[in-house]
Amino acid sequence: MTGIVSDLSLDKTPLFDSGWLTVSSAANRDDVLLRIAEAERRAEAALERLGRTLKQGIAGDHDRRIDALLALETRGIPASGTAADGAVERVMMEVGFRKRDLMPRFHELAEHCRAIHRRALAVVRDARWALMLERAAADPGGASSPIQGVGTRYVKSDRYDVRAARSLPPDDRVRADRFLKRLGEDPVPPELELSPLEGAGPEGTALWGMKAGNGNRFVLRRGELRGIACFFVEDVGPYPDHEGGRRGALAR
């Protein structure tokens, strides 16, 4: 892997820059349309650049890389989306109201920017989860308590609490614990959507996913403790629906 990235800030490589829409209110119609099209092209290029950056890799250990992606997903990209909305609205007020026939085109630009940011959120979320699965397989924990459950047996990994505290606020951690207790029911409630994660982890490492409430999901590792087959609860974190109901198998 080459070109490791040390900073995931959008300051230097924004998903949208208000300067892309610099246009005089006296500009003719064709110039305004060209500027809008150029802004859309640059936003698409910025999204592609973000994808390439994530493929290059991020400097730091698993914890720091996951934290950086979570911050980008929950703070950086939403702030960028809000700024893009404001920039489009300002130009629309200055130019669009003088050229009413261009108003639909400004609305298209605004929706295009929102779509770019939604796609960016999904790209970052998936990169974060790939690292979470990689961490669960590469740095599995031991049992932190006796085996729990009546039907399906499980135990929290001794890595779980620290990881959960980095990813979820207190209320969500309490909610996740309530969901986890239901894993021990016999049979496992289908609404928990317990399922294996295909292709997750190196060969021989069986990772599973399960709902943890409020759009969060667990990462479970299939293992054995004192001769008893059970799940080790390795991690939990947000898996929000950025695509409007078209999520992958991980978040079914």
Side-chain angles (χ1 to χ4, degrees), residues 132-216:
M132 289 172 64
L133 299 181
E134 185 180 297
R135 178 175 65 180
D139 185 26
S144 66
S145 66
I147 293 179
Q148 307 291 316
V150 177
T152 301
R153 314 301 295 276
Y154 70 92
V155 63
K156 279 186 178 180
S157 156
D158 56 15
R159 304 280 195 274
Y160 174 81
D161 285 338
V162 171
R163 290 170 178 171
R166 296 177 80 112
S167 294
L168 298 181
D171 287 352
D172 273 5
R173 296 201 298 273
V174 171
R175 183 181 290 106
D177 281 343
R178 290 201 295 265
F179 270 69
L180 185 57
K181 288 179 181 178
R182 300 193 64 198
L183 174 61
E185 296 177 11
D186 188 14
V188 176
E191 58 269 25
L192 293 182
E193 297 179 357
L194 175 67
S195 59
L197 301 175
E198 295 182 7
E203 186 176 353
T205 303
L207 297 180
W208 291 55
M210 190 184 85
K211 279 187 174 180
N214 201 31
N216 303 313

Side-chain angles (χ1 to χ4, degrees), residues 1-4 49-58 127:
M1 184 177 293
T2 60
I4 299 298
R49 186 166 55 247
L50 175 62
R52 290 195 301 270
T53 297
L54 296 179
K55 287 181 180 179
Q56 287 176 350
I58 311 160

Side-chain angles (χ1 to χ4, degrees), residues 1-9 50 52-62 64-70 72 124 127-128 131:
M1 184 177 293
T2 60
I4 299 298
V5 178
S6 60
D7 182 12
L8 270 181
S9 168
L50 175 62
R52 290 195 301 270
T53 297
L54 296 179
K55 287 181 180 179
Q56 287 176 350
I58 311 160
D61 58 21
H62 280 103
R64 291 184 181 181
R65 292 152 69 192
I66 291 167
D67 289 349
L69 288 168
L70 184 59
L72 185 60
V124 173
R128 174 172 56 83
L131 284 174

